[in-house]
């Protein structure tokens, strides 16, 4: 659910994952559903115009916010609660982000890190680092159809599920994780 505030009152602006918010690249066999199971986490990118969701089905979805002006121009038939509401749309998906194991945590590197990486933690005991492919050259992404590739994996990062991963808010080379093993670990990201 996406909640919005207007004049001090909060309301549900939209429910994501319904057919109208799903890209055509998601197979019809999924019934137009982005995630097939429980959604465990979201990670908001710096700037707030994109977020990532992670699910028990092992997938990650990439969501983009279209402003009210963009919504009216690009998606004129979309139903919204308020005329000032933007529109969140799923613009990409990583179907096997953690090899069919649950994705429990997603965090986006802070802007000052300068590298834009996404970290995820999952039920496969691993931490994954993704990078967005550049627009130049073949196979690059775009804001309406971004492409992410797996850059690095910390296999068996914990002795059990990795429940949370966070980038340091000022130092994009540092991450912290915690897992079912009761450990909290500090990591140094070197690209």
């Amino acid at each position: 659910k996406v909640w919005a505030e207007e004049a001090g009152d909060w309301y549900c602006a939209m429910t994501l994952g319904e057919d109208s918010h799903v890209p055509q690249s998601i197979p019809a066999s999924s019934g137009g559903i982005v995630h097939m199971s429980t959604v465990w986490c979201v990670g908001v990118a710096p700037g707030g115009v994109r977020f990532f969701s992670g699910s028990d089905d092992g997938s990650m979805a990439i969501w983009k916010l279209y402003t009210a002006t963009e919504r009216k121009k690009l998606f004129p038939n979309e139903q919204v609660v308020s005329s000032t509401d933007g529109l969140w749309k799923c613009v990409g998906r990583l179907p096997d982000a953690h090899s069919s194991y649950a994705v429990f945590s997603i965090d986006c590197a802070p802007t000052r890190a300068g590298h834009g990486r996404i970290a995820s933690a999952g039920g496969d005991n691993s931490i994954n680092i993704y990078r967005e492919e550049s627009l130049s050259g073949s196979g690059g992404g775009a804001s309406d159809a971004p492409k992410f590739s797996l850059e690095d994996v910390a296999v068996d990062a914990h002795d059990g599920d990795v429940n949370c991963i966070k980038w340091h808010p000022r130092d994009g080379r540092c991450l912290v994780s915690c897992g079912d093993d009761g450990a909290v670990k500090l990591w140094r990201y070197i690209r």
Side-chain angles (χ1 to χ4, degrees), residues 3-12:
W3 295 87
E5 184 264 337
E6 188 173 322
D9 290 326
W10 286 90
Y11 64 95
C12 181

Side-chain angles (χ1 to χ4, degrees), residues 43-60:
V44 180
V49 296
R50 185 187 280 176
F51 78 87
F52 300 78
S53 56
S55 172
D56 196 54
D57 66 9
S59 71
M60 286 172 48

